[in-house]
Amino acid sequence: MSQKTNSLKQLALQKFKKNFWGVLSFYFIALVGLISIFAYVFAPDNSQYANQMHLAIHSKQPGFKVQMLTIPSKITMNQSLIDRVFFGRKNTNTEVPISEYTITEDELVYKEFASDGLQGAEKELKLNIFPNNSPKEYIEHKTFLFGTDKYGRDLLSRVLVGARISFFIGFVAVLISLIIGVTLGSIAGYFGGKIDALIMWIINVTWSIPTLLLVIAITLALGKGFWQVFIAVGLTMWVEVARVVRGQIISTKEMQYVTAARALGYNDFRIITKHILPNIMAPVIVISAANFAAAILIESGLSFLGIGAQPPMASWGAMIKDHYNYIILGKPYLAVIPGLCIMSLVMAFMLIGNALRDAFDVKS
Amino acid sequence: MNSILKVNNLNIAFGINEVIHNISYHLNKNEILGIVGESGSGKSVSSLAILGLLPKKISKITNGSILYNGDDLTQLNSKAFQKIRGLKIAMIFQEPMSSLNPSMACGDQVEEILLQHSNLSKKQVKEETLTLFEKVKLPQPERVFNAYPHEISGGQKQRVMIAMAIACKPDILIADEPTTALDVTVQKDIITLLKDLQAQTKMSIIFITHDLALISEIAHRVLVMYKGEIVEQGEVETIFKNPEHNYTKALINSRPTLKTRLKILPTIQDFLNDSISDEIITPAERQKHHKKLYSKPPLLEVINVEKEYLTKSGWFTKPQHFKAVNNVSFKLYEGETLGLVGESGCGKSTLGNAILQLDKATTGSILYKGTDITKLSKKETRVLRKEIQIIFQDPYSSLNPRIPVGEAILEPMKVHNLFNSDVERKAQVIEILNKVGLSEDYYNRYPHEFSGGQRQRIGIARTIALQPKLIVCDESVSALDISVQAQVLNLLNTLKIDFGFTYIFISHDLAVVKYMSDQLLVMNQGKIEELGDADIIYSDPEKEYTKKLIHAIPKGL
């Protein structure tokens, strides 16, 4: 006899695999996930927060090329490889965009880059500050694929590093919302009565406060910053999860296999965790995907308002905030590129949520 | 040329899966044609095809024709169908609860059909509706006219449905299991009504059911369907007196009869293998057995148990008390089967739940082996669960869909610390699976991979895994097909002998209860109507209610 088993989970997975947009979104999200983890490996500017500024070449168009002179710093940083890969190089080298240079016996003479037809100042450097007295290795052509922002930082690197915030905020917020929401929702739904009334009251109160206001309140209470936003968004999202879980549990509770579990003498914890929760995971997963997308949007909104991630940290929302007035100044790409990033990631999560919902729908 | 509807070589497929194989039959004018078969035999699908109600996307009529007065119904478009549906061919469905629109008054729903299909004025339509309600013998037609579906009973709803169906005086009425969801006494009334209406209007009726005895009371001619084919068709008398096909024979005989008590009920397999045992339990044997049973002290004693529900209708009105179980007392002896019978809403399931401690009784005490189990703490109750178990009605919802069946049977043993290790438990699970007639290959399969009968066996396996003493069977075979029902009843009896179980057998089906039980308890509106030996109650009922109940059972030919 065949030993093959078809659990509902596997059936749902098979169905999901057939959904083109779902699978595409899944790969896109996986790609963004990888990028956000290894952002500093991919980014051309791997300094911490991609924060290498060159004010002379601020807000240049995508594909801008320039010669770049790196002046090595005398301070040497002792940074481990892991630290550098995951958190960026704590760089102290100075980078100077130049238009031309000559090397004399003991000096490097270069002309600073200046845009809009201006002449840059000519400066000279002693050759002995370069190792081996050869400055050639320190002068190279640099291309800014996405152009530069208003501080002359590489926009591509900022976008890559900024993906990390967007991605992790979704992750942490969904995790927090699941822990609180599933726990409270199950307790309310399973036990009912006064406990249910109390939890529903908390839910309704939290629900009635506009999300953005609540996040602002929480950020103010916990202080500004990266982690505070994560927690704040998570604390506002559990409400939705709790409501869905509660509703699902109330209807699943009436199923005969739950009565059967009670008749077999299982305790409440076992019934909830082993017999009810696995059966209501589908809507919870779907709402988590939507929450993921919503968290990204809320974070962008908060960063745009200036209470999200703080400079110099790169965040898509903050990038739009920095550059939205360039939209009418003929340099829309500075705001449009991070905007497109937010849109595509949110859309991927929405599509994956839809695909999951279809896959979990066992009826058809 | 007497036939009004002719089905020729009809084939219907769902996707690539053919469900109806080449069936042909005809319906005469002024005739009731019964279609009988088990679930999945294609009896409903073939009749939905007549009205063009098959789900368009997934199903297809691959071959054949349905001729109604010479027109081929399979070729009609949906516009043309609208002129036939309701007007020429009408249908009544199984669930009166869900086939009436809950937000419209009953009268309006009937009027709607008349307005759609006739040229009568509003006033005439109302008069017509009231005559229809009188015709279907609804009490107080004026009240029902303005009532919403939740305000009238199930039987009355079905009558409204029938009124809607016959409103336009159709030539053909298709009744798809119209009485399955109803109590036997109501079923009898509806059947009589349909017969009267047919005699009055001379329309043709296609009556679909799984109940052979019922069809023998109403139909003139019968089709027997099995796995998408018609295995036999002919006059009622011939089909019932001289069935030719083995399947028909099995269908007629696998239902417990009211006259004799067979040791083992024959199943379809028995008919195919020709291995029917017709051993019966004689009254003498039964008496001897009972004497032994009742000499011991009772295992369970139910004393003056009451269960009260509060219904609150408004903020300022006093909550109303409703006694679902009212002052019930009885004794249950080890090794016996107590049959608990009554119509829906009589409190039999509530009583079962009170004994199981799933729903605490309001007052009264339940003594199990001398201790009052209503006063046990939550923890002690959990220990008691090992002793008193339940087998559920619906094999589809009583198993957790995400747990493989082997695990589901093993889990209760683990929770109650039976046996020392999982290896031992697993061996025990496989033994139990074999006991209920399933092989150990099924261990890792999920519930949705099994048929209804198999699932019910798994449910039974999970119940007996705890080696309980007392098992409450709450409508355990009601959702099963007749042939499967016989298998499960046989299994329950074998297990009883092997393990020495005591059963409380709850059912609305008197024939089944009588076959299974030693003692019989008839409940009505929360009270005990009659209590005594099953055979005696059946042959010599004392109360009017019991008489009515027994009288309403379709007897068959």
Side-chain angles (χ1 to χ4, degrees), chain B residues 504-530:
Chain B
I504 294 180
F505 197 89
I506 302 174
S507 179
H508 66 278
D509 188 336
L510 245 172
V512 174
V513 174
K514 184 193 166 263
Y515 171 73
M516 292 296 286
S517 323
D518 299 305
Q519 260 193 107
L520 188 65
L521 201 160
V522 184
M523 277 184 85
N524 183 25
Q525 293 177 347
K527 283 187 187 152
I528 293 185
E529 196 75 32
E530 221 169 325

PDB file of all heavy atoms in Angstrom, chain B residues 504-530:
ATOM      1  N   ILE B 504     -25.332   3.877  25.702  1.00  0.00           N
ATOM      2  CA  ILE B 504     -26.578   4.639  25.652  1.00  0.00           C
ATOM      3  C   ILE B 504     -26.729   5.039  24.199  1.00  0.00           C
ATOM      4  O   ILE B 504     -25.894   5.753  23.653  1.00  0.00           O
ATOM      5  CB  ILE B 504     -26.527   5.893  26.550  1.00  0.00           C
ATOM      6  CG1 ILE B 504     -26.423   5.481  28.011  1.00  0.00           C
ATOM      7  CG2 ILE B 504     -27.779   6.739  26.335  1.00  0.00           C
ATOM      8  CD1 ILE B 504     -26.371   6.658  28.964  1.00  0.00           C
ATOM      9  N   PHE B 505     -27.737   4.528  23.536  1.00  0.00           N
ATOM     10  CA  PHE B 505     -27.852   4.703  22.099  1.00  0.00           C
ATOM     11  C   PHE B 505     -28.940   5.716  21.793  1.00  0.00           C
ATOM     12  O   PHE B 505     -30.124   5.436  21.918  1.00  0.00           O
ATOM     13  CB  PHE B 505     -28.175   3.354  21.458  1.00  0.00           C
ATOM     14  CG  PHE B 505     -27.924   3.311  19.995  1.00  0.00           C
ATOM     15  CD1 PHE B 505     -26.679   2.935  19.512  1.00  0.00           C
ATOM     16  CD2 PHE B 505     -28.904   3.675  19.095  1.00  0.00           C
ATOM     17  CE1 PHE B 505     -26.430   2.911  18.156  1.00  0.00           C
ATOM     18  CE2 PHE B 505     -28.659   3.660  17.736  1.00  0.00           C
ATOM     19  CZ  PHE B 505     -27.420   3.274  17.279  1.00  0.00           C
ATOM     20  N   ILE B 506     -28.495   6.930  21.405  1.00  0.00           N
ATOM     21  CA  ILE B 506     -29.442   8.004  21.146  1.00  0.00           C
ATOM     22  C   ILE B 506     -29.736   8.073  19.658  1.00  0.00           C
ATOM     23  O   ILE B 506     -28.809   8.118  18.851  1.00  0.00           O
ATOM     24  CB  ILE B 506     -28.865   9.357  21.609  1.00  0.00           C
ATOM     25  CG1 ILE B 506     -28.534   9.303  23.090  1.00  0.00           C
ATOM     26  CG2 ILE B 506     -29.830  10.492  21.310  1.00  0.00           C
ATOM     27  CD1 ILE B 506     -27.819  10.536  23.596  1.00  0.00           C
ATOM     28  N   SER B 507     -30.992   8.078  19.279  1.00  0.00           N
ATOM     29  CA  SER B 507     -31.319   8.214  17.857  1.00  0.00           C
ATOM     30  C   SER B 507     -32.767   8.644  17.683  1.00  0.00           C
ATOM     31  O   SER B 507     -33.588   8.486  18.573  1.00  0.00           O
ATOM     32  CB  SER B 507     -31.089   6.882  17.144  1.00  0.00           C
ATOM     33  OG  SER B 507     -31.424   7.026  15.791  1.00  0.00           O
ATOM     34  N   HIS B 508     -33.038   9.204  16.522  1.00  0.00           N
ATOM     35  CA  HIS B 508     -34.430   9.544  16.231  1.00  0.00           C
ATOM     36  C   HIS B 508     -35.064   8.410  15.440  1.00  0.00           C
ATOM     37  O   HIS B 508     -36.253   8.418  15.174  1.00  0.00           O
ATOM     38  CB  HIS B 508     -34.494  10.843  15.428  1.00  0.00           C
ATOM     39  CG  HIS B 508     -33.895  10.710  14.073  1.00  0.00           C
ATOM     40  ND1 HIS B 508     -32.549  10.806  13.843  1.00  0.00           N
ATOM     41  CD2 HIS B 508     -34.454  10.434  12.877  1.00  0.00           C
ATOM     42  CE1 HIS B 508     -32.311  10.612  12.563  1.00  0.00           C
ATOM     43  NE2 HIS B 508     -33.431  10.380  11.956  1.00  0.00           N
ATOM     44  N   ASP B 509     -34.240   7.436  15.040  1.00  0.00           N
ATOM     45  CA  ASP B 509     -34.707   6.371  14.170  1.00  0.00           C
ATOM     46  C   ASP B 509     -35.134   5.174  15.017  1.00  0.00           C
ATOM     47  O   ASP B 509     -34.322   4.433  15.543  1.00  0.00           O
ATOM     48  CB  ASP B 509     -33.569   5.977  13.226  1.00  0.00           C
ATOM     49  CG  ASP B 509     -34.026   5.017  12.161  1.00  0.00           C
ATOM     50  OD1 ASP B 509     -35.027   4.319  12.387  1.00  0.00           O
ATOM     51  OD2 ASP B 509     -33.375   4.965  11.101  1.00  0.00           O
ATOM     52  N   LEU B 510     -36.435   5.000  15.140  1.00  0.00           N
ATOM     53  CA  LEU B 510     -36.968   3.978  16.049  1.00  0.00           C
ATOM     54  C   LEU B 510     -36.532   2.566  15.668  1.00  0.00           C
ATOM     55  O   LEU B 510     -36.223   1.752  16.528  1.00  0.00           O
ATOM     56  CB  LEU B 510     -38.488   4.059  16.044  1.00  0.00           C
ATOM     57  CG  LEU B 510     -39.120   4.462  17.363  1.00  0.00           C
ATOM     58  CD1 LEU B 510     -40.589   4.697  17.170  1.00  0.00           C
ATOM     59  CD2 LEU B 510     -38.910   3.394  18.419  1.00  0.00           C
ATOM     60  N   ALA B 511     -36.470   2.293  14.373  1.00  0.00           N
ATOM     61  CA  ALA B 511     -36.126   0.942  13.943  1.00  0.00           C
ATOM     62  C   ALA B 511     -34.716   0.580  14.408  1.00  0.00           C
ATOM     63  O   ALA B 511     -34.477  -0.509  14.923  1.00  0.00           O
ATOM     64  CB  ALA B 511     -36.230   0.843  12.425  1.00  0.00           C
ATOM     65  N   VAL B 512     -33.787   1.513  14.237  1.00  0.00           N
ATOM     66  CA  VAL B 512     -32.406   1.266  14.630  1.00  0.00           C
ATOM     67  C   VAL B 512     -32.307   1.114  16.142  1.00  0.00           C
ATOM     68  O   VAL B 512     -31.669   0.198  16.656  1.00  0.00           O
ATOM     69  CB  VAL B 512     -31.489   2.405  14.126  1.00  0.00           C
ATOM     70  CG1 VAL B 512     -30.088   2.227  14.666  1.00  0.00           C
ATOM     71  CG2 VAL B 512     -31.469   2.444  12.624  1.00  0.00           C
ATOM     72  N   VAL B 513     -32.975   2.019  16.848  1.00  0.00           N
ATOM     73  CA  VAL B 513     -32.905   1.965  18.306  1.00  0.00           C
ATOM     74  C   VAL B 513     -33.475   0.647  18.814  1.00  0.00           C
ATOM     75  O   VAL B 513     -32.917  -0.002  19.694  1.00  0.00           O
ATOM     76  CB  VAL B 513     -33.672   3.150  18.927  1.00  0.00           C
ATOM     77  CG1 VAL B 513     -33.722   3.014  20.433  1.00  0.00           C
ATOM     78  CG2 VAL B 513     -33.004   4.446  18.567  1.00  0.00           C
ATOM     79  N   LYS B 514     -34.561   0.235  18.237  1.00  0.00           N
ATOM     80  CA  LYS B 514     -35.192  -0.997  18.697  1.00  0.00           C
ATOM     81  C   LYS B 514     -34.264  -2.186  18.451  1.00  0.00           C
ATOM     82  O   LYS B 514     -34.139  -3.083  19.274  1.00  0.00           O
ATOM     83  CB  LYS B 514     -36.511  -1.216  17.974  1.00  0.00           C
ATOM     84  CG  LYS B 514     -37.231  -2.426  18.506  1.00  0.00           C
ATOM     85  CD  LYS B 514     -38.370  -2.873  17.637  1.00  0.00           C
ATOM     86  CE  LYS B 514     -38.801  -4.259  18.040  1.00  0.00           C
ATOM     87  NZ  LYS B 514     -38.217  -5.299  17.211  1.00  0.00           N
ATOM     88  N   TYR B 515     -33.589  -2.172  17.308  1.00  0.00           N
ATOM     89  CA  TYR B 515     -32.675  -3.270  16.997  1.00  0.00           C
ATOM     90  C   TYR B 515     -31.533  -3.335  18.016  1.00  0.00           C
ATOM     91  O   TYR B 515     -31.144  -4.413  18.451  1.00  0.00           O
ATOM     92  CB  TYR B 515     -32.111  -3.098  15.586  1.00  0.00           C
ATOM     93  CG  TYR B 515     -30.998  -4.059  15.279  1.00  0.00           C
ATOM     94  CD1 TYR B 515     -31.285  -5.409  15.060  1.00  0.00           C
ATOM     95  CD2 TYR B 515     -29.680  -3.642  15.217  1.00  0.00           C
ATOM     96  CE1 TYR B 515     -30.266  -6.303  14.797  1.00  0.00           C
ATOM     97  CE2 TYR B 515     -28.665  -4.533  14.953  1.00  0.00           C
ATOM     98  CZ  TYR B 515     -28.965  -5.877  14.746  1.00  0.00           C
ATOM     99  OH  TYR B 515     -27.955  -6.755  14.486  1.00  0.00           O
ATOM    100  N   MET B 516     -31.037  -2.189  18.422  1.00  0.00           N
ATOM    101  CA  MET B 516     -29.859  -2.163  19.274  1.00  0.00           C
ATOM    102  C   MET B 516     -30.162  -2.369  20.754  1.00  0.00           C
ATOM    103  O   MET B 516     -29.336  -2.864  21.503  1.00  0.00           O
ATOM    104  CB  MET B 516     -29.143  -0.810  19.135  1.00  0.00           C
ATOM    105  CG  MET B 516     -28.510  -0.560  17.792  1.00  0.00           C
ATOM    106  SD  MET B 516     -27.188  -1.695  17.420  1.00  0.00           S
ATOM    107  CE  MET B 516     -25.885  -1.080  18.499  1.00  0.00           C
ATOM    108  N   SER B 517     -31.358  -1.944  21.219  1.00  0.00           N
ATOM    109  CA  SER B 517     -31.515  -1.741  22.654  1.00  0.00           C
ATOM    110  C   SER B 517     -32.063  -2.914  23.421  1.00  0.00           C
ATOM    111  O   SER B 517     -32.798  -3.744  22.898  1.00  0.00           O
ATOM    112  CB  SER B 517     -32.451  -0.569  22.919  1.00  0.00           C
ATOM    113  OG  SER B 517     -32.262   0.419  21.988  1.00  0.00           O
ATOM    114  N   ASP B 518     -31.702  -2.929  24.725  1.00  0.00           N
ATOM    115  CA  ASP B 518     -32.371  -3.798  25.686  1.00  0.00           C
ATOM    116  C   ASP B 518     -33.528  -3.013  26.302  1.00  0.00           C
ATOM    117  O   ASP B 518     -34.672  -3.406  26.240  1.00  0.00           O
ATOM    118  CB  ASP B 518     -31.381  -4.229  26.764  1.00  0.00           C
ATOM    119  CG  ASP B 518     -30.236  -5.008  26.150  1.00  0.00           C
ATOM    120  OD1 ASP B 518     -30.506  -6.001  25.473  1.00  0.00           O
ATOM    121  OD2 ASP B 518     -29.064  -4.596  26.308  1.00  0.00           O
ATOM    122  N   GLN B 519     -33.166  -1.877  26.919  1.00  0.00           N
ATOM    123  CA  GLN B 519     -34.201  -1.001  27.471  1.00  0.00           C
ATOM    124  C   GLN B 519     -34.458   0.135  26.494  1.00  0.00           C
ATOM    125  O   GLN B 519     -33.546   0.560  25.795  1.00  0.00           O
ATOM    126  CB  GLN B 519     -33.675  -0.365  28.755  1.00  0.00           C
ATOM    127  CG  GLN B 519     -34.147  -1.009  30.029  1.00  0.00           C
ATOM    128  CD  GLN B 519     -33.814  -0.112  31.198  1.00  0.00           C
ATOM    129  OE1 GLN B 519     -34.681   0.504  31.771  1.00  0.00           O
ATOM    130  NE2 GLN B 519     -32.537  -0.035  31.549  1.00  0.00           N
ATOM    131  N   LEU B 520     -35.645   0.655  26.475  1.00  0.00           N
ATOM    132  CA  LEU B 520     -35.959   1.765  25.589  1.00  0.00           C
ATOM    133  C   LEU B 520     -36.547   2.907  26.398  1.00  0.00           C
ATOM    134  O   LEU B 520     -37.366   2.686  27.291  1.00  0.00           O
ATOM    135  CB  LEU B 520     -36.973   1.296  24.531  1.00  0.00           C
ATOM    136  CG  LEU B 520     -37.277   2.277  23.407  1.00  0.00           C
ATOM    137  CD1 LEU B 520     -36.038   2.503  22.569  1.00  0.00           C
ATOM    138  CD2 LEU B 520     -38.379   1.728  22.520  1.00  0.00           C
ATOM    139  N   LEU B 521     -36.065   4.111  26.102  1.00  0.00           N
ATOM    140  CA  LEU B 521     -36.560   5.273  26.814  1.00  0.00           C
ATOM    141  C   LEU B 521     -37.099   6.248  25.787  1.00  0.00           C
ATOM    142  O   LEU B 521     -36.355   6.709  24.921  1.00  0.00           O
ATOM    143  CB  LEU B 521     -35.387   5.887  27.585  1.00  0.00           C
ATOM    144  CG  LEU B 521     -35.647   6.803  28.774  1.00  0.00           C
ATOM    145  CD1 LEU B 521     -34.398   6.847  29.617  1.00  0.00           C
ATOM    146  CD2 LEU B 521     -36.018   8.185  28.366  1.00  0.00           C
ATOM    147  N   VAL B 522     -38.357   6.546  25.825  1.00  0.00           N
ATOM    148  CA  VAL B 522     -38.957   7.473  24.862  1.00  0.00           C
ATOM    149  C   VAL B 522     -39.073   8.836  25.525  1.00  0.00           C
ATOM    150  O   VAL B 522     -39.637   8.963  26.600  1.00  0.00           O
ATOM    151  CB  VAL B 522     -40.354   6.992  24.415  1.00  0.00           C
ATOM    152  CG1 VAL B 522     -40.899   7.918  23.346  1.00  0.00           C
ATOM    153  CG2 VAL B 522     -40.287   5.569  23.904  1.00  0.00           C
ATOM    154  N   MET B 523     -38.475   9.840  24.893  1.00  0.00           N
ATOM    155  CA  MET B 523     -38.531  11.188  25.467  1.00  0.00           C
ATOM    156  C   MET B 523     -39.401  12.097  24.621  1.00  0.00           C
ATOM    157  O   MET B 523     -39.447  11.975  23.404  1.00  0.00           O
ATOM    158  CB  MET B 523     -37.137  11.796  25.565  1.00  0.00           C
ATOM    159  CG  MET B 523     -36.379  11.372  26.799  1.00  0.00           C
ATOM    160  SD  MET B 523     -34.806  12.206  26.901  1.00  0.00           S
ATOM    161  CE  MET B 523     -35.266  13.738  27.677  1.00  0.00           C
ATOM    162  N   ASN B 524     -40.094  13.005  25.309  1.00  0.00           N
ATOM    163  CA  ASN B 524     -40.903  13.994  24.605  1.00  0.00           C
ATOM    164  C   ASN B 524     -40.883  15.283  25.412  1.00  0.00           C
ATOM    165  O   ASN B 524     -41.201  15.281  26.596  1.00  0.00           O
ATOM    166  CB  ASN B 524     -42.331  13.469  24.450  1.00  0.00           C
ATOM    167  CG  ASN B 524     -43.195  14.439  23.667  1.00  0.00           C
ATOM    168  OD1 ASN B 524     -42.679  15.232  22.878  1.00  0.00           O
ATOM    169  ND2 ASN B 524     -44.480  14.378  23.913  1.00  0.00           N
ATOM    170  N   GLN B 525     -40.466  16.369  24.811  1.00  0.00           N
ATOM    171  CA  GLN B 525     -40.414  17.684  25.442  1.00  0.00           C
ATOM    172  C   GLN B 525     -39.719  17.642  26.799  1.00  0.00           C
ATOM    173  O   GLN B 525     -40.200  18.171  27.788  1.00  0.00           O
ATOM    174  CB  GLN B 525     -41.810  18.256  25.585  1.00  0.00           C
ATOM    175  CG  GLN B 525     -42.406  18.554  24.225  1.00  0.00           C
ATOM    176  CD  GLN B 525     -43.817  19.046  24.290  1.00  0.00           C
ATOM    177  OE1 GLN B 525     -44.463  18.959  25.330  1.00  0.00           O
ATOM    178  NE2 GLN B 525     -44.280  19.567  23.166  1.00  0.00           N
ATOM    179  N   GLY B 526     -38.574  16.954  26.824  1.00  0.00           N
ATOM    180  CA  GLY B 526     -37.754  16.960  28.028  1.00  0.00           C
ATOM    181  C   GLY B 526     -38.145  15.959  29.080  1.00  0.00           C
ATOM    182  O   GLY B 526     -37.432  15.768  30.048  1.00  0.00           O
ATOM    183  N   LYS B 527     -39.291  15.312  28.901  1.00  0.00           N
ATOM    184  CA  LYS B 527     -39.737  14.367  29.928  1.00  0.00           C
ATOM    185  C   LYS B 527     -39.666  12.945  29.406  1.00  0.00           C
ATOM    186  O   LYS B 527     -39.707  12.719  28.196  1.00  0.00           O
ATOM    187  CB  LYS B 527     -41.191  14.676  30.304  1.00  0.00           C
ATOM    188  CG  LYS B 527     -41.321  15.859  31.193  1.00  0.00           C
ATOM    189  CD  LYS B 527     -42.758  15.994  31.656  1.00  0.00           C
ATOM    190  CE  LYS B 527     -42.932  17.283  32.409  1.00  0.00           C
ATOM    191  NZ  LYS B 527     -44.266  17.814  32.323  1.00  0.00           N
ATOM    192  N   ILE B 528     -39.593  12.002  30.354  1.00  0.00           N
ATOM    193  CA  ILE B 528     -39.652  10.612  29.940  1.00  0.00           C
ATOM    194  C   ILE B 528     -41.101  10.276  29.638  1.00  0.00           C
ATOM    195  O   ILE B 528     -41.998  10.480  30.459  1.00  0.00           O
ATOM    196  CB  ILE B 528     -39.134   9.681  31.053  1.00  0.00           C
ATOM    197  CG1 ILE B 528     -37.643   9.911  31.246  1.00  0.00           C
ATOM    198  CG2 ILE B 528     -39.398   8.221  30.699  1.00  0.00           C
ATOM    199  CD1 ILE B 528     -37.006   8.976  32.229  1.00  0.00           C
ATOM    200  N   GLU B 529     -41.339   9.789  28.437  1.00  0.00           N
ATOM    201  CA  GLU B 529     -42.694   9.440  28.058  1.00  0.00           C
ATOM    202  C   GLU B 529     -42.961   7.988  28.453  1.00  0.00           C
ATOM    203  O   GLU B 529     -43.998   7.665  29.003  1.00  0.00           O
ATOM    204  CB  GLU B 529     -42.865   9.641  26.552  1.00  0.00           C
ATOM    205  CG  GLU B 529     -44.275   9.684  26.065  1.00  0.00           C
ATOM    206  CD  GLU B 529     -44.978  11.004  26.387  1.00  0.00           C
ATOM    207  OE1 GLU B 529     -44.306  12.076  26.432  1.00  0.00           O
ATOM    208  OE2 GLU B 529     -46.192  10.965  26.577  1.00  0.00           O
ATOM    209  N   GLU B 530     -42.002   7.159  28.159  1.00  0.00           N
ATOM    210  CA  GLU B 530     -42.181   5.743  28.461  1.00  0.00           C
ATOM    211  C   GLU B 530     -40.815   5.098  28.639  1.00  0.00           C
ATOM    212  O   GLU B 530     -39.856   5.456  27.964  1.00  0.00           O
ATOM    213  CB  GLU B 530     -42.934   5.071  27.307  1.00  0.00           C
ATOM    214  CG  GLU B 530     -43.970   4.102  27.811  1.00  0.00           C
ATOM    215  CD  GLU B 530     -44.901   3.631  26.701  1.00  0.00           C
ATOM    216  OE1 GLU B 530     -45.211   4.441  25.808  1.00  0.00           O
ATOM    217  OE2 GLU B 530     -45.294   2.468  26.751  1.00  0.00           O
TER     218      GLU B 530
END
